[in-house]
Amino acid sequence: TRETGRPVVPPWRGPALPTESLSPRRVGGDPRFYHAGMPITVFQHSDVVGPGRLGVTLRDNGLLLDIRRPDKGQAIPTDLDNVQGVVVLGGAANVTDIALHPWMSAEAEFIKKAHAAQLPIIGICLGAQLIAHALGGQVSAKAKGPDLGFYPTAINTTGQIETLLAGLTWNHHQL
């Protein structure tokens, strides 16, 4: 839960998983299937911006959520042993302020490790900025100012075959 920092444990409603050839992150070595016992690490950076519908969808599809608050001093995992994917949420900060927030640098390093291990990573708002920064991209302010409001959002074909979101149906208005 958010208060304890421990994974939210949903009931597993999927098919039985094979027990032979389980690696720490892959079931039978196949990158499309993950053992439901390992959580998705969720980095939350605000009291009002939580995993929301994405978190509910992941949980309802048998995935554990390990919600972390690095902005409040909660530890970032030191390895990927119990991580099957990463969700990096938004917050009030911008990655251009990384020098002011030491937790951002530590989170960017974790993102680099997860990417090198070919784990699925989703970034929303600040999360997308952190992923871009961690992987060598440049992030700067938008010339016309930020986009505000709700826009129709859907998982496209590419998203539906992405390991973390594969097979999920999801259409929703997002900020």
Side-chain angles (χ1 to χ4, degrees):
T1 66
R2 224 181 307 204
E3 293 79 25
T4 64
R6 289 191 298 266
V8 176
V9 181
W12 173 246
R13 297 187 311 215
L17 296 170
T19 55
E20 67 281 348
S21 304
L22 287 179
S23 71
R25 283 184 290 284
R26 309 272 191 241
V27 173
D30 190 327
R32 295 172 300 156
F33 301 103
Y34 289 92
H35 185 267
M38 292 186 303
I40 302 291
T41 298
V42 179
F43 292 118
Q44 182 175 332
H45 310 109
S46 167
D47 292 332
V48 296
V49 180
R53 187 172 174 152
L54 176 60
V56 169
T57 301
L58 293 170
R59 183 204 61 208
D60 287 353
N61 281 273
L63 299 167
L64 303 173
L65 301 179
D66 178 10
I67 301 171
R68 305 280 181 134
R69 290 294 307 269
D71 63 315
K72 295 213 179 226
Q74 193 170 23
I76 292 171
T78 56
D79 57 46
L80 301 171
D81 287 348
N82 292 312
V83 178
Q84 71 180 39
V86 181
V87 175
V88 189
L89 299 174
N94 289 301
V95 78
T96 54
D97 301 326
I98 198 165
L100 302 174
H101 305 289
W103 57 266
M104 276 194 206
S105 294
E107 196 168 321
E109 287 301 314
F110 182 85
I111 291 166
K112 280 184 200 175
K113 281 192 225 176
H115 180 263
Q118 299 181 343
L119 292 176
I121 306 169
I122 296 174
I124 300 168
C125 198
L126 171 61
Q129 294 177 35
L130 279 164
I131 293 168
H133 175 81
L135 302 181
Q138 293 184 354
V139 178
S140 60
K142 186 176 172 188
K144 295 181 182 179
D147 286 329
L148 300 174
F150 287 88
Y151 300 90
T153 305
I155 296 178
N156 63 17
T157 304
T158 303
Q160 290 176 2
I161 60 171
E162 184 350 274
T163 313
L164 189 61
L165 301 175
L168 302 181
T169 56
W170 194 75
N171 292 295
H172 191 62
H173 280 57
Q174 292 292 316
L175 183 61

